[in-house]
Amino acid sequence: MNYKNFLLFFALFFGITALIHADSNLTNRMKARLPDVLAAKSNGTIGESTEGKLLIRTKIPTSELEKLVKLENKDRSELFKLLAKKTGGDAGDVAKKFAKGLASKAKSGHWFKNSSGNWVSK
């Protein structure tokens, strides 16, 4: 894993959560999963959607990968709701902005599903 890209992702992701003073349990869970999420992104088994959620890319995912994606997406949904409440916006709009931010800071080789439903690699 590229240390510089890790720091960029970390700064983007946790900078947002710090701004809203997110629940410490939420922040701690996401922080603990971050190395596994980045590793799965780097090996191409998961990618990002335009809605700010992780998607499984492998045809036969392991139960661990399914659990990782499920837990991360659950916490992201909670994060989007917290951000929307704090800003007076819509959770769906927050999620789309989050997805765009991740895409702009992503490491080369990470995968994203575009609005047409096609996988593209950065």
Side-chain angles (χ1 to χ4, degrees):
M1 171 176 36
N2 182 315
Y3 185 70
K4 183 179 176 184
N5 287 327
F6 174 81
L7 288 178
L8 285 172
F9 179 82
F10 187 84
L12 169 73
F13 186 75
F14 291 103
I16 291 170
T17 58
L19 288 174
I20 64 160
H21 305 287
D23 176 86
S24 64
N25 289 330
L26 172 66
T27 304
N28 289 338
R29 288 190 309 265
M30 294 180 85
K31 191 184 301 186
R33 271 193 307 274
L34 183 59
D36 293 333
V37 169
L38 290 174
K41 283 184 177 185
S42 292
N43 70 29
T45 57
I46 63 172
E48 294 282 347
S49 73
T50 58
E51 290 82 29
K53 299 289 183 85
L54 292 177
L55 299 171
I56 295 175
R57 295 190 66 245
T58 186
K59 293 188 189 302
I60 305 174
T62 64
S63 60
E64 291 84 12
L65 184 64
E66 288 176 333
K67 181 179 178 183
L68 174 71
V69 169
K70 181 180 178 181
L71 291 172
E72 181 67 14
N73 285 341
K74 181 179 178 209
D75 284 345
R76 285 185 182 193
S77 290
E78 188 175 334
L79 174 65
F80 302 152
K81 288 176 189 173
L82 286 169
L83 283 165
K85 184 177 178 182
K86 182 73 173 179
T87 63
D90 177 73
D93 291 338
V94 170
K96 288 177 184 176
K97 288 178 185 176
F98 181 85
K100 285 181 182 178
L102 287 178
S104 70
K105 303 290 185 193
K107 178 179 168 183
S108 179
H110 284 188
W111 289 90
F112 298 86
K113 197 167 240 188
N114 64 24
S115 57
S116 301
N118 299 315
W119 284 108
V120 293
S121 177
K122 182 164 182 180

